Amino acid sequence: MPVAPAGSEAHAGAEGRARPEGPPVLENILIVGAGPVGLTLACELARYGIGVRLIDRSPEPTRTSKALVVWSRTLELMDRMGCSAPFLAAGLQARGATLRSGGQVLGSARFTEIASPYPFALMIPQAETERLLTEHLAGFGVAIEREVALTDFSQTSDAVTARLLHADGREEDVATSFLIGCDGAHSRVRHGLALPFEGQAQGDEWWLADVRVAGTGAPPPDEIAVYLHRDGPLVLFPIPGGRARIVATVGAIDPDRPRPDPTLAAMQALVEARAGGGMFLSDPVWLSPFRINERKVSQYRTDRVFLAGDAAHIHSPAGGQGMNTGMQDAVNLAWKLALVLRGEAAPDLLDSYGPERNAVGAMVLRNASRLTAAATLAHPAAQAARNLALRALLGVHAVRDRMAATMSEIEIGYPDSVLSEGPGAGLRWPPEHDAGPPPGAGGAPRFVLYAEDGPESAALGARFPTLLAPEARPSPDGLLHLVRPDGYVGLSAPAGDGEKAGRYLARLVPA
């Protein structure tokens, strides 16, 4: 529902507490939600010198594994953030995924062929991801404010006024330049904007178990194992510390006859039926039923309020894309907000966030939905045809490479963005083109110019000192490129066409 204006009677607490006296405190950015997406956004803004306040209504971080996979593209972006090393030390590198049915291998996707410095899926529980990002954020002097809930907000052309409720019942009004909702599927920020969360819930019930797996039938410890069965799929994901996540569908939801929650014995029986014998489960730390929702907003921004992560899009966990997509939402938004708040770019730079990430969110949702639909086919003839097709397709090297590239998210780009100009613009800048720090590293969000060394490069640097990195880098192909702070090509132009580069950058400069 629409939020009430700041200062209205609707802001009084349930027991009629008076509105706090005095002017609201000014903050640059208020982020609601301290999961991986909110933490990533806060880290990036703090790195760029932007004042940030990160609140979360929960008294403590998540204690469960939840999202498990950090993919190659996210790790590349973590290089810019300066925090990839502790993630690599804490995670387990899965080198591929194997699909099986009826004891037969249908095919495999090998992540080792991903064209990235990180050719693997980094398996790391979400609790660890949040811990590492919280430590990284603390390095900038920023801490999460817990048991602080957003209750209302309103906005003008100049600021957003937010009402916060603290655990002790104290209420606080905060004026902030921008409000970012990273507060998950039940987002208070999204509800406050009255944005439809369009989509639907899938009809099946799924079970989840985090357990230890042993025995001769267990898959290799660096492999994601998919078992396709006539009663539904079962997937096993390795977790650091000798554990594994098992996920399986158990049939359609019947509101009149609810199933009991999963037990270790029930999961053991499910594994034996779908994956065969020789696999023994023990020491469960998390057993839970869940249901897949596929929903997305149609706009990620309303004036000074933005949405990112699950607040904007939720979908099937197939492919492990959800958390990664949300963290990449945060990276995309952070450098744009930073340039605008530093006075180094015009406010309309922010207009590119919604269209760019909306298109990516729609693609990820579509891909995850297709994977789930294919895995949960119920008719025996359709299952047989699927298995035959998978065996044929996964026997083709190019298909396996494409599957791995899609899952790793290195193929994501913004070719249709207003910030993309010229052949190849909008695509990810290959990391192998840089021997040193990647574009976007350091304390300021800067474009990097790749061009032949000469007076035009020096002139561009002198003309746009707050948009361009201090030194141009050699072009790998003889063309001129401007690469964005998030590592995507903004402009590609003929060699020596400094005039076109100048026009591109001039569009970003404040009036």
Side-chain angles (χ1 to χ4, degrees):
M1 62 173 60
V3 296
S8 73
E9 290 300 319
H11 279 262
E15 300 178 30
R17 288 185 291 270
R19 186 175 182 274
E21 296 181 359
V25 179
L26 181 64
E27 300 283 346
N28 275 336
I29 300 283
L30 176 63
I31 303 171
V32 182
V37 178
L39 282 163
T40 299
L41 182 60
C43 289
E44 285 293 81
L45 290 168
R47 174 166 73 96
Y48 291 139
I50 302 301
V52 63
R53 187 170 180 183
L54 177 60
I55 65 170
D56 196 290
R57 66 188 307 161
S58 174
E60 61 182 19
T62 184
R63 300 298 183 190
T64 54
S65 55
K66 291 188 177 178
L68 272 181
V69 186
V70 177
W71 282 110
S72 310
R73 183 54 183 158
T74 304
L75 287 167
E76 292 175 3
L77 293 171
M78 284 181 172
D79 280 344
R80 293 165 169 77
M81 296 172 65
C83 63
S84 57
F87 276 83
L88 295 171
L92 181 154
Q93 297 179 15
R95 300 292 178 172
T98 299
L99 283 74
R100 299 175 174 87
S101 180
Q104 301 296 314
V105 173
L106 300 177
S108 298
R110 307 314 302 170
F111 304 149
T112 50
E113 301 301 315
I114 296 170
S116 168
Y118 305 107
F120 46 80
L122 187 72
M123 311 304 296
I124 182 169
Q126 183 173 325
E128 276 292 280
T129 293
E130 292 186 14
R131 180 185 69 81
L132 293 173
L133 288 173
T134 300
E135 291 177 357
H136 186 57
L137 182 62
F140 299 107
V142 180
I144 302 167
E145 297 180 51
R146 294 207 168 272
E147 295 186 275
V148 180
L150 174 76
T151 58
D152 271 315
F153 63 90
S154 62
Q155 58 178 318
T156 66
S157 60
D158 299 320
V160 180
T161 300
R163 168 61 63 92
L164 308 182
L165 177 62
H166 293 255
D168 60 4
R170 177 172 57 92
E171 291 183 309
E172 175 188 7
D173 279 351
V174 175
T176 178
S177 298
F178 297 97
L179 171 67
I180 320 296
C182 304
D183 48 344
H186 302 288
S187 170
R188 177 67 188 87
V189 177
R190 188 186 66 245
H191 284 296
L193 294 173
L195 291 175
F197 206 29
E198 298 173 343
Q200 61 186 1
Q202 195 198 53
D204 288 344
E205 181 176 330
W206 294 71
W207 281 0
L208 170 156
D210 280 1
V211 295
R212 293 194 182 279
V213 179
T216 57
D222 64 348
E223 176 189 285
I224 298 171
V226 181
Y227 300 90
L228 298 175
H229 189 268
R230 64 176 181 274
D231 295 329
L234 181 142
V235 186
L236 190 149
F237 302 90
I239 304 177
R243 307 192 73 84
R245 157 83 56 81
I246 298 174
V247 174
T249 180
V250 291
I253 293 173
D254 184 348
D256 298 323
R257 301 179 64 185
R259 291 181 180 83
D261 287 346
T263 63
L264 181 63
M267 292 301 300
Q268 178 71 55
L270 203 61
V271 168
E272 290 175 1
R274 299 189 188 180
M279 202 183 306
F280 305 102
L281 312 186
S282 64
D283 191 20
V285 294
W286 191 23
L287 293 160
S288 178
F290 70 95
R291 188 178 186 183
I292 292 173
N293 271 275
E294 297 175 333
R295 301 183 187 276
K296 194 178 78 66
V297 295
S298 59
Q299 62 184 77
Y300 284 42
R301 176 193 184 187
T302 301
D303 300 321
R304 289 181 170 270
V305 182
F306 296 80
L307 299 175
D310 285 358
H313 48 78
I314 56 173
H315 45 78
S316 164
Q321 309 291 294
M323 182 181 71
N324 290 266
T325 303
M327 293 171 73
Q328 291 174 39
D329 289 345
V331 171
N332 182 293
L333 181 57
W335 69 269
K336 298 170 182 178
L337 283 169
L339 279 176
V340 170
L341 285 169
R342 292 164 63 112
E344 297 166 353
D348 59 8
L349 174 63
L350 300 175
D351 294 342
S352 64
Y353 167 71
E356 287 185 353
R357 296 309 298 174
N358 197 352
V360 171
M363 179 193 69
V364 170
L365 191 153
R366 184 170 58 250
N367 288 346
S369 178
R370 288 171 177 171
L371 283 173
T372 304
T376 55
L377 288 171
H379 196 282
Q383 292 176 346
R386 174 201 61 198
N387 293 353
L388 189 63
L390 284 172
R391 191 186 298 275
L393 289 170
L394 291 173
V396 179
H397 192 274
V399 172
R400 295 196 304 270
D401 288 353
R402 181 64 184 273
M403 179 183 294
T406 299
M407 294 178 71
S408 69
E409 299 197 338
I410 64 170
E411 288 190 330
I412 285 175
Y414 311 115
D416 299 322
S417 172
V418 295
L419 300 181
S420 299
E421 183 179 336
L427 300 182
R428 158 183 167 269
W429 185 250
E432 61 266 24
H433 290 340
D434 290 284
R446 297 287 178 258
F447 285 73
V448 175
L449 173 66
Y450 292 80
E452 298 302 319
D453 193 21
E456 284 191 323
S457 296
L460 281 171
R463 185 180 170 191
F464 301 102
T466 60
L467 284 178
L468 276 179
E471 296 181 357
R473 301 183 186 182
S475 171
D477 56 9
L479 300 177
L480 181 151
H481 303 280
L482 284 171
V483 178
R484 300 166 18 160
D486 55 355
Y488 292 91
V489 179
L491 170 74
S492 288
D497 199 344
E499 184 177 344
K500 181 171 286 188
R503 288 196 302 270
Y504 180 94
L505 293 168
R507 290 194 290 124
L508 305 178
V509 175

